[in-house]
């Protein structure tokens, strides 16, 4: 598990902490753009064998990351969050 200080230091841009999870809502110009992002994010997650909760809405996708086995936020979460940021750019 990361300490509070490590989480704050390693949290990628536009992500925030919500208890034992980190969360970001990605915004898109269309519903299908968000679905495409979610599909790409799912591929990255499968590759990393680290699976987030994703909620697809109209023109947005909320992503929540935590490491259930560890009971909180780890480097796996912050690393994958950074990869999701790159995917969205």
């Amino acid at each position: 598990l990361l300490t509070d200080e490590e989480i704050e230091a390693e949290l990628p841009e536009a992500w925030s902490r919500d208890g034992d999870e980190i969360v970001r809502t990605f915004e898109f110009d269309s519903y299908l753009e968000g679905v495409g992002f979610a599909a790409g994010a799912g591929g990255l997650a499968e590759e990393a064998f680290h699976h987030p909760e994703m909620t697809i809405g109209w023109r947005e996708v909320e992503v929540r990351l935590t490491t259930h086995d560890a009971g909180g936020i780890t480097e796996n979460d912050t690393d994958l969050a950074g990869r999701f940021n790159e995917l969205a750019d």
Side-chain angles (χ1 to χ4, degrees):
L1 289 175
L2 296 176
T3 65
D4 291 342
E5 293 79 18
E6 289 170 327
I7 292 167
E8 188 174 320
E10 295 182 27
L11 201 61
E13 184 180 337
W15 287 78
S16 60
R17 183 176 183 179
D18 184 11
D20 287 340
E21 299 178 316
I22 59 174
V23 62
R24 177 175 176 189
T25 300
F26 293 88
E27 296 182 358
F28 301 95
D29 291 333
S30 71
Y31 176 76
L32 285 180
E33 237 182 280
V35 170
F37 167 81
L44 290 175
E46 186 65 20
E47 187 179 282
F49 200 69
H50 192 61
H51 305 99
E53 296 290 325
M54 288 192 279
T55 304
I56 301 170
W58 184 70
R59 295 174 47 177
E60 66 181 29
V61 177
E62 182 188 71
V63 180
R64 292 181 168 272
L65 285 161
T66 190
T67 303
H68 296 286
D69 292 350
I73 301 165
T74 68
E75 255 184 54
N76 290 339
D77 302 304
T78 56
D79 289 348
L80 192 53
R83 294 185 71 193
F84 288 165
N85 280 3
E86 291 171 5
L87 179 65
D89 288 343

